[in-house]
Amino acid sequence: MRVILWMVVFTGFIWAFLGLKNTSEQEIIKKETKKQMYIDSLQHRIDSLQYTIDSLQNKMWDTNDYCPTQEELDEWPEDTILSAIMFIESSYNDSAYRADEDAVGCLQIRKCMVDDVNRILKRQKLTLRFTYNSRWSRDSSIKMFEIYCNHYNLTTAEEIARCWNGGPRGINNPATVGYWEKVKDKINS
């Protein structure tokens, strides 16, 4: 009887040991997989940033020895203004997130902006709608930016920057002047 009892205890011990061994191996595999996914996501960010840098170098004017006038700034293409705003908001990071404002993506779009853009689209009797998750997509963020600027008839670089920062009446808000200065400095750099 003692032999059988010892065999049962020994067998249980072996099973427990093998179970712990398998569990630790699974934990190691899980950690390695998680580490590889993190590395892949960082590589994706690097690739995205490199693409952005390349496209910006092709789009941006050579301003090394040139400082544009206010009138020229106002006439610059929207994509130049957009690029400067993207840099100020997120350093071109599509994964940027500011928790205290729930601001998301390359343009740091808040939920109220998505709601406003969807209201604009509904008024225009268009079927296109954005979700809060759309803010993580660069293409969707840019589309929302364009819809917003077009709806509020923002035409000059200063209007676009200040109203993006301070809402539709941001051009009248003195608190947005500093933001405009940052955007203007980025355009001039």
Side-chain angles (χ1 to χ4, degrees), residues 116-131:
D116 192 27
V117 169
N118 284 336
R119 179 190 57 77
I120 292 165
L121 292 168
K122 185 176 180 181
R123 257 194 197 164
Q124 295 173 350
K125 299 186 182 344
L126 298 172
T127 58
L128 174 65
R129 296 293 184 274
F130 295 96
T131 66

Side-chain angles (χ1 to χ4, degrees), residues 52 55-56 59-61 73 76-93 106-108 138 142 145 157-158 160-162 164 178-189:
T52 302
S55 65
L56 287 173
K59 288 181 182 179
M60 297 295 278
W61 294 359
L73 270 176
W76 277 18
E78 187 174 286
D79 62 344
T80 303
I81 304 306
L82 176 61
S83 296
I85 290 173
M86 261 194 235
F87 178 80
I88 300 304
E89 292 289 349
S90 69
S91 297
Y92 309 115
N93 182 358
C106 62
L107 286 167
Q108 290 293 279
R138 177 171 294 209
I142 291 171
F145 177 86
E158 184 176 5
I160 291 169
R162 291 182 66 186
W164 184 255
Y179 183 83
W180 164 237
E181 291 300 320
K182 289 180 193 176
V183 171
K184 190 166 53 170
D185 289 346
K186 179 60 183 165
I187 291 170
N188 289 330
S189 68

Side-chain angles (χ1 to χ4, degrees), residues 4-20:
I4 294 174
L5 183 60
W6 280 106
M7 287 177 65
V8 168
V9 169
F10 182 71
T11 304
F13 177 74
I14 296 295
W15 280 351
F17 176 75
L18 291 175
L20 288 175

Side-chain angles (χ1 to χ4, degrees), residues 21 26 28 31 36 52 57 60 63 76 79 88 91 98 108 121-122 149 153-154 162 167 171 174 176 184 187:
K21 184 179 177 191
Q26 289 172 347
I28 291 170
K31 285 180 183 178
Q36 187 60 47
T52 302
Q57 286 175 338
M60 297 295 278
T63 60
W76 277 18
D79 62 344
I88 300 304
S91 297
R98 183 169 176 170
Q108 290 293 279
L121 292 168
K122 185 176 180 181
C149 290
N153 198 28
L154 307 176
R162 291 182 66 186
I171 192 71
T176 63
K184 190 166 53 170
I187 291 170

Side-chain angles (χ1 to χ4, degrees), residues 1-183:
M1 186 69 160
R2 282 186 177 183
V3 173
I4 294 174
L5 183 60
W6 280 106
M7 287 177 65
V8 168
V9 169
F10 182 71
T11 304
F13 177 74
I14 296 295
W15 280 351
F17 176 75
L18 291 175
L20 288 175
K21 184 179 177 191
N22 285 341
T23 302
S24 65
E25 289 174 358
Q26 289 172 347
E27 287 297 319
I28 291 170
I29 291 170
K30 191 185 284 186
K31 285 180 183 178
E32 290 298 319
T33 303
K34 192 173 182 179
K35 193 184 303 181
Q36 187 60 47
M37 288 174 60
Y38 181 70
I39 291 169
D40 291 346
S41 79
L42 290 176
Q43 185 60 49
H44 174 71
R45 284 185 189 175
I46 290 168
D47 292 344
S48 174
L49 289 171
Q50 187 59 52
Y51 173 78
T52 302
I53 290 167
D54 290 345
S55 65
L56 287 173
Q57 286 175 338
N58 291 334
K59 288 181 182 179
M60 297 295 278
W61 294 359
D62 183 12
T63 60
N64 292 341
D65 299 320
Y66 174 70
C67 184
T69 64
Q70 181 63 47
E71 292 78 30
E72 289 171 318
L73 270 176
D74 290 340
E75 293 174 8
W76 277 18
E78 187 174 286
D79 62 344
T80 303
I81 304 306
L82 176 61
S83 296
I85 290 173
M86 261 194 235
F87 178 80
I88 300 304
E89 292 289 349
S90 69
S91 297
Y92 309 115
N93 182 358
D94 295 331
S95 301
Y97 178 65
R98 183 169 176 170
D100 62 327
E101 293 184 10
D102 192 26
V104 173
C106 62
L107 286 167
Q108 290 293 279
I109 297 175
R110 294 168 40 201
K111 289 180 178 178
C112 60
M113 174 64 73
V114 177
D115 295 341
D116 192 27
V117 169
N118 284 336
R119 179 190 57 77
I120 292 165
L121 292 168
K122 185 176 180 181
R123 257 194 197 164
Q124 295 173 350
K125 299 186 182 344
L126 298 172
T127 58
L128 174 65
R129 296 293 184 274
F130 295 96
T131 66
Y132 296 142
N133 283 335
S134 300
R135 302 175 293 169
W136 295 102
S137 161
R138 177 171 294 209
D139 291 337
S140 294
S141 294
I142 291 171
K143 188 68 178 162
M144 284 188 269
F145 177 86
E146 291 169 347
I147 291 167
Y148 179 83
C149 290
N150 289 336
H151 177 75
Y152 290 109
N153 198 28
L154 307 176
T155 56
T156 69
E158 184 176 5
E159 283 178 330
I160 291 169
R162 291 182 66 186
C163 291
W164 184 255
N165 178 246
R169 291 184 284 282
I171 192 71
N172 302 319
N173 185 345
T176 63
V177 172
Y179 183 83
W180 164 237
E181 291 300 320
K182 289 180 193 176
V183 171

